[in-house]
Amino acid sequence: MRRLIALSLLLLSLSACALFPSRDPLNINVVGIEPLPSQELEVRFAVKLRVQNPNETAIDYNGVALNLEVNGRQLASGVSDQSGSIPRFSEAVVVVPVSISAFTVLRQTLGLSQTQTLDNLPYVLRGKLAGGAFGTMRFVDRGKLSLPGATNATW
């Protein structure tokens, strides 16, 4: 009898997993950064993300979180409680305020070598669109950050 119950529970759990559709990962790109009012020891920016949904179903979200690493070190983070929906095979721009403390900038500056420029610094943007227990979509974007006019600058 116990084996029959265990087998039934196993079959039910496997069929429950089949009910959750698999989703393709979101395509996320930073499309803009604008300054926001700041406090004394921090700088704030509005990061604009273009979120592309390559799935056959809409993505509903009710919160956004971001973490930005530059040159292997944490630089900025931000959260927003905004909510919305990105229709199937569609895109939207999501704006997230992020903060950078003066101490973080100091750590970043000290982490640069004397010969390193501000051109082609590696970055990793990690985040998530919250959508409940099974609807949260995590994303990662990696690349090289080049600041305008920084090709000749060295630290």
Side-chain angles (χ1 to χ4, degrees), residues 60-95:
D60 296 321
Y61 64 94
N62 58 11
V64 185
L66 289 181
N67 282 309
L68 175 64
E69 292 178 12
V70 174
N71 208 26
R73 298 173 190 253
Q74 177 76 24
L75 178 66
S77 63
V79 294
S80 174
D81 68 349
Q82 65 184 294
S83 61
S85 181
I86 303 168
R88 62 188 291 273
F89 297 107
S90 189
E91 62 184 37
V93 174
V94 177
V95 180

Side-chain angles (χ1 to χ4, degrees), residues 93-152:
V93 174
V94 177
V95 180
V96 181
V98 298
S99 301
I100 304 171
S101 76
F103 299 110
T104 302
V105 172
L106 182 61
R107 274 196 312 266
Q108 282 285 338
T109 304
L110 293 175
L112 293 174
S113 69
Q114 291 294 328
T115 59
Q116 192 171 11
T117 69
L118 296 177
D119 195 31
N120 289 323
L121 290 174
Y123 76 87
V124 178
L125 177 71
R126 290 183 174 86
K128 68 178 179 178
L129 290 175
F134 299 107
T136 295
M137 301 286 291
R138 295 183 183 278
F139 58 88
V140 176
D141 183 37
R142 300 178 199 289
K144 299 280 185 175
L145 179 65
S146 295
L147 300 177
T151 54
N152 296 326

